[in-house]
Amino acid sequence: MEGLCAHKELQIGGRTLPFAHLLQTDSTNLRIKEAVRQGEILAPFLLLADRQSMGRGRLGRSFVSPEGGLYMSLLLRPAAPWEAGRVTLAAAVAVCRAIEELTGLFLKIKWVNDLFLHGKKVCGILAEGVGEMVIIGIGVNLVTPPGGFPHEAGPAGALDAGVDRFALAERISAHLLDDAERLHSPAILADYRARMPLVGRDISYTERGIEKHARVLGVAEDGGLMVSHAAGIQVLRSGEVSLGSAAFSDLE
Ligand code: BTN
């Protein structure tokens, strides 16, 4: 497998961001993890690939990654100790802001970090820890592939806004480099909440194999989803929620 040593640099807001661009790889998150283990790279580092043969999603799923999309992994060392919830939340907001700046499109967030446009998922985010660093893997569907998205990908869509993926990767990285230094900024949480329209809606989720039904109360400071059900109030910290049709229409 190709190493990540021979890389270039981006200048972003007075900071230097080393980066590498691969035509093809298995998974940009895996490549970054491997390069960190081999001592080839330090944070910050950006890796882009034109396509992935084994794109990885949350909860052990795969992420379909044909040519034409943006597949990037950003290696960061957050100033605050590793906090999965806040990093994931900041990443979702960073991508939304970058896309809005470049296209004018307003994306909505389905907790925890699926980004939706017109009711279809256009971006997924997979944050993984490696030592004291965090790899933020971001996949954005920029164009609808010929024949559409495979059905197993769920209700998937694309931006189809003619956005340049290198420009988008740079904007996302600029936001995340800033955010890594101020993970507890109230502005990040406020923007996340404004884009997460599920408050008051009924959802279901599975806990230890049992399906549960609850109403969404909001997003906690640490990125958890606060819900209420017959047994009281609970904060969900991981996993996935399923939406009823009323809640789903809020992502339109
Ligand atoms: C999800 O929707 O479950 C998360 C998908 C994350 C996909 C991105 S694409 C770039 C990076 N490399 C991977 O293998 N996964 C992430």
Side-chain angles (χ1 to χ4, degrees):
M1 181 61 67
E2 189 179 346
L4 299 184
C5 287
H7 51 74
K8 305 168 187 155
E9 287 179 348
L10 283 174
Q11 296 301 324
I12 300 183
R15 283 171 298 215
T16 300
L17 176 62
F19 84 98
H21 171 211
L22 304 175
L23 299 180
Q24 156 95 35
T25 190
D26 47 2
S27 152
T28 52
N29 271 28
L30 282 181
R31 280 309 101 230
I32 288 264
K33 221 180 264 185
E34 189 56 28
V36 170
R37 289 201 181 116
Q38 298 293 330
E40 289 177 15
I41 58 171
L42 293 169
F45 192 94
L46 171 67
L47 176 62
L48 293 170
D50 286 359
R51 52 188 177 271
Q52 301 180 116
S53 56
M54 278 176 46
R56 298 165 68 232
R58 289 181 66 241
L59 308 172
R61 296 187 186 128
S62 57
F63 188 80
V64 181
S65 314
E67 194 160 353
L70 168 65
Y71 312 110
M72 63 177 270
S73 294
L74 185 62
L75 178 70
L76 291 175
R77 184 185 293 274
W82 158 246
E83 293 175 86
R86 288 302 284 236
V87 171
T88 304
L89 201 129
V93 170
V95 178
C96 288
R97 287 178 176 171
I99 288 175
E100 194 169 350
E101 284 157 11
L102 293 180
T103 67
L105 296 170
F106 185 85
L107 266 58
K108 295 184 180 175
I109 302 172
K110 174 178 175 282
W111 187 86
V112 57
N113 56 6
D114 287 343
L115 306 189
F116 275 70
L117 178 66
H118 308 317
K120 300 212 168 129
K121 177 171 165 177
V122 295
C123 170
I125 299 170
L126 176 66
E128 302 184 271
V130 47
E132 289 174 358
M133 293 177 278
V134 54
I135 305 166
I136 301 169
I138 297 167
V140 186
N141 300 332
L142 296 179
V143 289
T144 306
F149 289 97
H151 196 62
E152 62 268 25
L159 299 184
D160 288 322
V163 64
D164 177 80
R165 66 203 157 107
F166 294 102
L168 182 55
E170 192 169 335
R171 286 299 320 138
I172 294 171
S173 303
H175 281 296
L176 274 169
L177 287 171
D178 284 346
D179 293 346
E181 287 164 15
R182 50 184 181 102
L183 270 182
H184 287 274
S185 156
I188 297 175
L189 191 56
D191 199 350
Y192 187 96
R193 286 173 171 156
R195 292 172 186 274
M196 213 277 309
L198 300 182
V199 178
R201 293 302 193 187
D202 293 328
I203 51 125
S204 56
Y205 58 97
T206 306
E207 195 174 56
R208 284 181 230 110
I210 299 167
E211 190 181 17
K212 299 199 166 180
H213 299 272
R215 182 155 293 176
V216 176
L217 297 177
V219 178
E221 297 270 318
D222 65 358
L225 189 71
M226 291 182 289
V227 299
S228 76
H229 45 55
I233 293 177
Q234 190 181 354
V235 182
L236 310 182
R237 311 233 175 254
S238 61
E240 190 168 58
V241 297
S242 301
L243 310 181
S245 55
F248 212 91
S249 67
D250 290 336
L251 293 171
E252 290 283 329

